[in-house]
Amino acid sequence: MSHTILLVQKTQAASSKTYIECASVAVAMDEVIKMYEDHLKNKYPNKERIEFDVNEVLDMVYNLPDCAALV
């Protein structure tokens, strides 16, 4: 297990920079997926079930102003 810190900037605003401490790389990747799930819940608040695939998660990550993992 490798302690992992996710550094994320969700918008162009410097104030959107945040970090998440995780016990392992796997937990950090779960956090990335959770970020996407939260985004979908906000975008589609009335939907009970939302399906997505890994490519959609990767698109979100690639479009973030900044995202890094320190392992």
Side-chain angles (χ1 to χ4, degrees), residues 1 4 8 11-12 15 18 21-24 34 46 51 55 59 62-63 67 71:
M1 266 197 194
T4 304
V8 180
T11 69
Q12 293 296 333
S15 62
T18 190
E21 291 190 58
C22 304
S24 67
K34 184 180 177 301
N46 297 322
E51 295 182 13
N55 290 319
D59 284 343
Y62 295 147
N63 287 300
C67 184
V71 180

Side-chain angles (χ1 to χ4, degrees), residues 33-52:
I33 292 169
K34 184 180 177 301
M35 284 175 27
Y36 188 67
E37 289 172 339
D38 290 344
H39 163 75
L40 290 176
K41 287 176 188 175
N42 288 331
K43 190 172 181 177
Y44 305 106
N46 297 322
K47 285 205 171 197
E48 269 187 47
R49 181 179 167 99
I50 300 173
E51 295 182 13
F52 60 91

Side-chain angles (χ1 to χ4, degrees), residues 1 3 5-6 9 14 17 24 26-27 29 31-32 37 39 44 62 64 69:
M1 266 197 194
H3 181 86
I5 300 172
L6 273 178
Q9 183 176 353
K17 291 179 182 180
S24 67
V27 172
M29 296 305 101
E31 287 293 330
V32 171
E37 289 172 339
H39 163 75
Y44 305 106
Y62 295 147
L64 289 170

